[in-house]
């Protein structure tokens, strides 16, 4: 087993990297059979994005805080843990965003794509699904489209639904919806393409963001869909996979 260790810049993760590479060796990520990411959920997302061109599973060990996408940190018998780990496959979202100067930017998101008001007034958005307008006007602080893997992150804090990891659906969730009053969002097929058009864009500016990594300001429209051609392979200890974690989260 050829292990490629990567670590966040925190002191804890860097110390773990030194110990683990000294014990188990180190190889470049393209040559590895598995990537072990040391850090928190943010670093796990960073690692998945950085290695999306490699067909190599990623096993996270928590050196951060929440660690929802990570396994418990333990330096003992790591090759045996990796051999016994269960794999989850996640397809990311692809975001295309058109801005006010005519540019179009593209980014990928493992968790969610979010739109947020960028000024003092609420955003006004039109929602179209697969070419059909479903909501003429949503007045809100923002809205997001989430994958099942990201449904316990930003989506959940915005009171969106927790989605089973094996479900072929996406969540559309509003943040502080003013009109329609108390609109709680929608669950759509994974195959759907969701488009947000920004109404009154000069008066009510909006920005969009993919996994809190790729921000685009002054957007006029954003299209979001699942990208089946990209597969993120994530490893979890037996009995502690995403399905179990998502279920457990609902009974806390």
């Amino acid at each position: 087993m050829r292990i490629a260790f990567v670590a966040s810049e925190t002191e804890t993760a860097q110390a773990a990297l030194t110990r683990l590479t000294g014990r188990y060796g180190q190889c470049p990520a393209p040559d590895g059979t598995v990537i072990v990411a040391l850090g928190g959920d943010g670093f796990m997302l960073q690692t998945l994005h950085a290695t999306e061109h490699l067909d190599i599973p990623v096993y996270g060990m928590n050196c951060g805080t929440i660690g929802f996408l990570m396994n418990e940190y333990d330096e003992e018998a790591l090759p045996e843990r990796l051999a016994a780990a269960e794999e989850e496959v996640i397809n990311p979202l692809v975001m295309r965003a058109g801005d006010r100067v005519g540019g179009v930017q593209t980014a990928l998101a493992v968790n969610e794509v979010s739109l947020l008001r960028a000024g003092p007034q609420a955003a006004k958005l039109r929602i179209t699904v697969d070419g059909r307008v479903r909501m003429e006007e949503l007045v809100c602080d923002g809205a997001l489209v989430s994958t099942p893997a990201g449904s316990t992150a930003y989506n959940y804090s915005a009171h969106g639904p927790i989605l089973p990891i094996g479900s072929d659906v996406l969540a559309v969730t509003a943040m502080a919806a003013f009109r329609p009053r108390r609109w709680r969002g929608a669950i759509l097929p994974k195959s759907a393409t969701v488009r947000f058009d920004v109404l009154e864009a000069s008066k009510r500016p909006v920005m969009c963001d993919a996994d809190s990594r790729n921000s685009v300001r002054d957007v006029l429209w954003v299209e979001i869909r699942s990208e089946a051609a990209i597969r993120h392979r994530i490893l979890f200890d037996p009995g502690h996979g995403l399905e179990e974690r998502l279920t457990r989260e609902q009974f806390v």
Side-chain angles (χ1 to χ4, degrees):
M1 183 175 293
R2 301 183 304 278
I3 305 175
F5 290 97
V6 292
S8 71
E9 295 299 323
T10 67
E11 182 178 342
T12 300
Q14 287 295 312
L17 177 65
T18 299
R19 293 193 301 270
L20 288 166
T21 54
R23 184 168 182 175
Y24 297 108
Q26 173 70 302
C27 78
D31 300 327
T33 53
V34 62
I35 297 169
V36 173
L38 308 170
D41 282 344
F43 183 70
M44 182 60 156
L45 292 176
Q46 179 181 327
T47 302
L48 292 174
H49 285 293
T51 61
E52 63 193 24
H53 61 291
L54 304 174
D55 188 25
I56 301 174
V58 180
Y59 179 92
M61 284 209 289
N62 190 21
C63 296
T65 51
I66 298 174
F68 187 81
L69 296 173
M70 314 300 278
N71 297 282
E72 182 181 352
Y73 183 84
D74 190 344
E75 297 178 15
E76 299 300 319
L78 181 57
E80 290 77 9
R81 289 178 68 189
L82 294 173
E86 301 171 347
E87 183 175 300
E88 302 274 9
V89 176
I90 297 172
N91 301 117
L93 300 172
V94 60
M95 172 192 84
R96 294 180 66 248
D99 61 30
R100 292 175 62 184
V101 296
V104 177
Q105 299 190 43
T106 303
L108 294 173
V110 176
N111 276 355
E112 78 282 317
V113 173
S114 55
L115 288 82
L116 300 166
R117 75 178 194 182
Q121 292 186 296
K124 283 189 177 182
L125 307 173
R126 178 189 299 122
I127 304 176
T128 303
V129 180
D130 292 333
R132 182 176 177 182
V133 176
R134 292 293 184 177
M135 184 170 289
E136 286 287 354
E137 184 177 281
L138 170 65
V139 183
C140 58
D141 278 353
L144 61 84
V145 176
S146 170
T147 67
S151 64
T152 60
Y154 196 0
N155 172 71
Y156 191 41
S157 67
H159 305 290
I162 293 180
L163 305 175
I165 195 63
S167 61
D168 290 331
V169 296
L170 303 173
V172 180
T173 301
M175 288 166 270
F178 179 66
R179 290 285 189 275
R181 183 78 74 179
R182 300 188 184 90
W183 186 67
R184 297 297 297 273
I187 296 176
L188 300 176
K190 187 178 179 179
S191 59
T193 297
V194 183
R195 178 183 171 109
F196 296 93
D197 286 285
V198 180
L199 309 178
E200 301 179 21
S202 59
K203 180 181 179 182
R204 302 169 185 268
V206 170
M207 63 172 288
C208 69
D209 193 278
D211 274 355
S212 301
R213 296 178 65 253
N214 298 279
S215 297
V216 184
R217 301 193 68 84
D218 294 324
V219 295
L220 296 179
W221 56 267
V222 181
E223 287 186 350
I224 305 156
R225 62 177 175 81
S226 180
E227 180 52 86
I230 299 177
R231 301 167 69 250
H232 293 300
R233 301 167 59 193
I234 308 178
L235 299 177
F236 293 96
D237 292 330
H240 296 277
L242 277 180
E243 191 70 64
E244 169 60 23
R245 294 172 189 224
L246 290 170
T247 301
R248 188 170 61 238
E249 190 76 17
Q250 297 176 79
F251 290 92
V252 172

